[in-house]
Amino acid sequence: MTDSEVAVGVTHVADDTMKMTGCGSCGMYMILEGAPGKSFVCMKCRLIELMEEKIRGLEMQVESLVEFRKGFEQIMEQRHEVSEGKSSDLQMEAGLGNFEGRLGEESGQWKHVTKRTRQRKRRASEGEIDLQNRFAELENEEGAQQVVTEGDRARKKRRAVSPIGKGEELMEITPNMSPRRIQDGLKRITRENGNGKNLQPEGTGDRLENSTVTRKRQVYVIGDSLLRRIDRPVTRADPENRRVCCLPGAKIRDVDLRLKRILKGAGKNPLIILHVGTNDTARFSLESIKGDYVRLGRTLKEIEAQVIFSGILPVPREGQQRCDKIMTINRWLRQWCYKEGFGMYGHWEAFMDRGQFSRDGLHLSREGNRLLGWRLAQLIKRALN
């Protein structure tokens, strides 16, 4: 047998052992030895299946955590409502008990009082009327003179203690007068006397200059219509110094134009939280939205304040293209805030449940509003501390 015949035999054997086989999952063909099973799956498809199983497990864990958090919030709210109800019931019971006790003591027996029962004034008998005159001493001339002399003596004593010179006849300083009023009166006396003498008491000027009113930091939460019904959880801790400004349909440009007017009188170094951008993603391109954010950042830098941007929430009613666009903007916004010195707080993973949105698929439901308000309140607490 020659070498060529041996080579041909080996080739036939190789052709018998190597066969073309297609993957049952992706449909790709592969050359394998032997005869594989009917349900053949390639290695890549197996890895993808393993990853999908891990993702499903993680999703189940996230769902369980979300359910646990919802249950915990409901329990806390129920406890709060029960405690408020118990306190109000105890107050009502105490009031009714005292009222019924008084009626029982007056009439000698217990009486049942309803809501519509009117309280009738009990007429006092002649023996119970107090006819004592508390001002009987003033009718006596000696007592009246004694009261007048004591008042004059106290007035003279205050004038003697006061460091005011010639203006003592025109102005009398009392303990209840404010430093501002004292200073205005002294200026008026100096102007009327015309001698230019300083009649201001010692230490009054220093007290007026050094008196400063301490004011807490103001907190402003500004954004579009997604901020509806979140003012209660946000402002509950400090209603006097926290404000929620909801601008329905507002875009980034609208917030930029109204920002200085909203923050007028905000005080020194306020905390500003901005939640805006959802309406821009439906109409403008990525480059236009980025430019609007940059212009808004310039306006914020002119104001000495601590600024935190709130991430854009998903829009369930739109398709995957809109969600990809929002995710791209959120990634860029996080990098830009880090570069410009602003803060950024995202909510994407917390609002993946469709039940947190209303029927229109854009605005939040009551549950979603409660969750967003709670997250912003926690953010404010961490930022202020």
Side-chain angles (χ1 to χ4, degrees):
M1 182 179 293
T2 61
D3 296 337
S4 59
E5 293 177 352
V6 173
V8 170
V10 172
T11 303
H12 286 294
V13 173
D15 293 339
D16 294 338
T17 57
M18 306 295 288
K19 290 186 178 181
M20 186 73 68
T21 305
C23 178
S25 179
C26 62
M28 298 295 293
Y29 286 94
M30 299 180 65
I31 300 175
L32 300 175
E33 296 182 0
K38 295 181 179 180
S39 59
F40 173 75
V41 180
C42 63
M43 184 61 65
K44 294 182 179 180
C45 294
R46 291 179 182 176
L47 293 176
I48 292 173
E49 290 178 357
L50 292 175
M51 291 178 64
E52 289 177 350
E53 290 179 359
K54 291 182 179 180
I55 290 172
R56 284 193 292 269
L58 292 174
E59 289 177 350
M60 293 177 63
Q61 293 180 3
V62 171
E63 290 177 358
S64 62
L65 290 174
V66 170
E67 292 178 357
F68 175 78
R69 184 176 59 192
K70 292 178 183 178
F72 180 77
E73 292 177 356
Q74 292 178 358
I75 292 172
M76 295 302 294
E77 289 179 356
Q78 291 176 359
R79 288 184 178 178
H80 183 66
E81 293 175 358
V82 169
S83 61
E84 290 181 351
K86 286 183 178 179
S87 61
S88 60
D89 293 338
L90 289 173
Q91 291 177 359
M92 292 178 64
E93 290 176 2
L96 290 174
N98 295 332
F99 181 70
E100 291 178 356
R102 288 196 300 270
L103 288 176
E105 292 174 357
E106 292 172 357
S107 60
Q109 59 182 357
W110 292 96
K111 292 184 179 180
H112 179 69
V113 180
T114 61
K115 293 183 179 179
R116 296 185 180 180
T117 303
R118 296 181 180 178
Q119 288 184 345
R120 296 182 180 178
K121 295 183 179 179
R122 181 174 175 269
R123 296 182 180 178
S125 60
E126 295 180 356
E128 296 179 358
I129 297 176
D130 189 7
L131 300 177
Q132 183 181 359
N133 186 5
R134 294 183 298 169
F135 304 99
E137 296 181 359
L138 296 178
E139 295 178 357
N140 188 3
E141 295 180 357
E142 296 180 356
Q145 292 178 358
Q146 183 178 0
V147 173
V148 173
T149 54
E150 289 180 358
D152 293 339
R153 190 181 301 109
R155 190 178 297 107
K156 290 180 180 180
K157 184 177 181 180
R158 287 197 299 268
R159 288 183 180 179
V161 174
S162 175
I164 302 175
K166 296 181 179 180
E168 62 185 4
E169 298 179 357
L170 299 176
M171 179 181 176
E172 179 182 352
I173 298 178
T174 61
N176 296 329
M177 293 180 65
S178 62
R180 180 79 178 185
R181 189 175 177 184
I182 295 172
Q183 190 178 23
D184 293 341
L186 293 174
K187 289 181 180 179
R188 179 176 56 82
I189 294 169
T190 305
R191 187 168 56 252
E192 291 177 357
N193 292 338
N195 54 4
K197 186 178 179 181
N198 186 11
L199 302 178
Q200 184 175 358
E202 297 179 0
T204 306
D206 298 337
R207 184 168 63 253
L208 291 175
E209 294 178 358
N210 297 331
S211 61
T212 57
V213 180
T214 58
R215 185 182 181 185
K216 293 183 179 180
R217 289 182 61 188
Q218 301 292 303
V219 179
Y220 287 84
V221 182
I222 306 171
D224 49 22
S225 57
L226 292 177
L227 299 182
R228 290 176 180 172
R229 297 189 296 271
I230 70 164
D231 50 347
R232 184 176 179 182
V234 171
T235 61
R236 183 182 299 167
D238 192 0
E240 296 181 357
N241 298 305
R242 296 188 184 184
R243 301 288 184 273
V244 177
C245 183
C246 177
L247 306 174
K251 296 180 283 295
I252 302 174
R253 300 175 184 176
D254 300 328
V255 175
D256 188 14
L257 293 175
R258 301 182 185 180
L259 187 62
K260 291 186 178 180
R261 184 170 57 184
I262 294 172
L263 298 177
K264 187 177 181 180
K268 184 179 180 181
N269 192 23
L271 174 61
I272 304 173
I273 299 177
L274 297 172
H275 185 90
V276 66
T278 304
N279 298 318
D280 297 79
T281 58
R283 301 181 181 181
F284 304 117
S285 62
L286 291 174
E287 298 300 327
S288 178
I289 296 172
K290 293 178 182 178
D292 293 340
Y293 272 119
V294 171
R295 282 188 290 271
L296 178 59
R298 294 173 185 170
T299 305
L300 290 169
K301 286 188 175 181
E302 296 177 0
I303 306 170
E304 295 182 359
Q306 181 182 1
V307 181
I308 301 176
F309 281 88
S310 179
I312 304 175
L313 301 182
V315 183
R317 75 177 184 184
E318 301 294 339
Q320 186 65 29
Q321 185 177 0
R322 177 85 175 271
C323 292
D324 294 341
K325 185 177 181 181
I326 294 175
M327 292 179 67
T328 303
I329 294 173
N330 284 335
R331 285 195 295 267
W332 175 85
L333 183 63
R334 185 178 296 276
Q335 297 175 359
W336 177 75
C337 289
Y338 179 77
K339 179 181 178 182
E340 298 295 330
F342 301 139
M344 199 276 182
Y345 187 61
H347 310 277
W348 188 271
E349 296 179 356
F351 287 88
M352 296 300 295
D353 189 3
R354 182 63 176 82
Q356 296 170 346
F357 293 86
S358 59
R359 293 182 179 180
D360 60 359
L362 175 63
H363 298 92
L364 296 175
S365 62
R366 292 188 179 275
E367 182 181 355
N369 287 325
R370 186 163 54 248
L371 177 59
L372 181 60
W374 178 79
R375 290 177 64 86
L376 293 179
Q378 294 299 318
L379 173 62
I380 293 171
K381 183 179 179 180
R382 292 196 298 267
L384 293 178
N385 293 335

